[in-house]
Each structure stands twice: as structure tokens, then as C-alpha cells.
């Protein structure tokens, strides 16, 4: 199972959460960034509706798939310095 990791980091004079290489907006405090990360992580696990999706891959090819709205990743909020 895939686990999406939300990491709390200092960013742009404040705090943010990061998922892989993508940063959230900047929050004025560590606590605000932590709350936002926990909220986002909780929403990520909520089931949605099963629906068709269309996307383009890195080679420019288009794909159509049926996305199961119940197939949600696990999430983890990490609030510690990276090693």
C-alpha cells in the first residue's frame, strides 16, 4: 500500500508541509502548518466516487481509466527534521 508522507518544513519565512517535492502554501506558524497537514492528510484518505479519468503520461500519450473512489492511500504526517 502506498503511504503519502506530509512533512512539516520551514519555508519562505514561515512553515509549510511538503509532499514529495511539492510545497503547500506558507503558514505563519509551525502549528498552523501542522494543522493544515493533518487536515490535508485526513481528506486524502476519504473515499470518493468511482469515475472515469483521462490523463497524459510523460511521453505525451493519453490514457483513459476507471478510478475506484474507494482506493485511497494511507497518509502520515511527519513533524521532525529530515535525517
Amino acid at each position: 500500500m502506498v503511504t503519502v508522507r506530509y512533512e512539516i518544513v520551514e519555508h519562505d519565512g514561515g512553515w509549510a508541509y511538503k509532499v514529495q517535492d511539492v510545497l503547500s502554501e506558507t503558514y505563519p506558524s509551525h502549528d498552523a502548518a501542522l494543522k493544515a497537514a493533518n487536515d490535508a492528510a485526513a481528506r486524502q484518505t476519504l473515499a470518493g466516487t468511482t469515475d472515469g479519468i483521462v490523463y497524459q503520461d510523460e511521453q505525451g500519450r493519453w490514457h483513459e481509466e476507471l478510478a475506484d473512489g474507494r482506493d485511497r492511500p494511507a497518509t502520515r504526517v511527519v513533524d521532525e527534521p529530515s535525517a
Side-chain angles (χ1 to χ4, degrees):
M1 174 183 272
V2 173
T3 299
V4 177
R5 178 184 161 115
Y6 292 76
E7 182 180 2
I8 307 303
V9 296
E10 288 186 66
H11 176 66
D12 202 21
W15 294 87
Y17 62 86
K18 182 170 89 167
V19 177
Q20 294 182 339
D21 293 330
V22 179
L23 289 162
S24 71
E25 64 185 274
T26 302
Y27 294 91
S29 70
H30 176 273
D31 288 345
L34 181 59
K35 180 182 182 325
N38 282 315
D39 290 347
R43 285 192 310 274
Q44 183 76 21
T45 64
L46 296 176
T49 58
T50 297
D51 204 353
I53 61 171
V54 178
Y55 66 94
Q56 188 175 23
D57 67 20
E58 294 158 346
Q59 287 76 40
R61 293 180 296 229
W62 287 93
H63 303 269
E64 295 182 22
E65 292 182 7
L66 186 62
D68 183 349
R70 299 167 297 168
D71 183 18
R72 306 307 307 152
T75 59
R76 179 172 173 230
V77 176
V78 178
D79 186 18
E80 57 193 38
S82 296

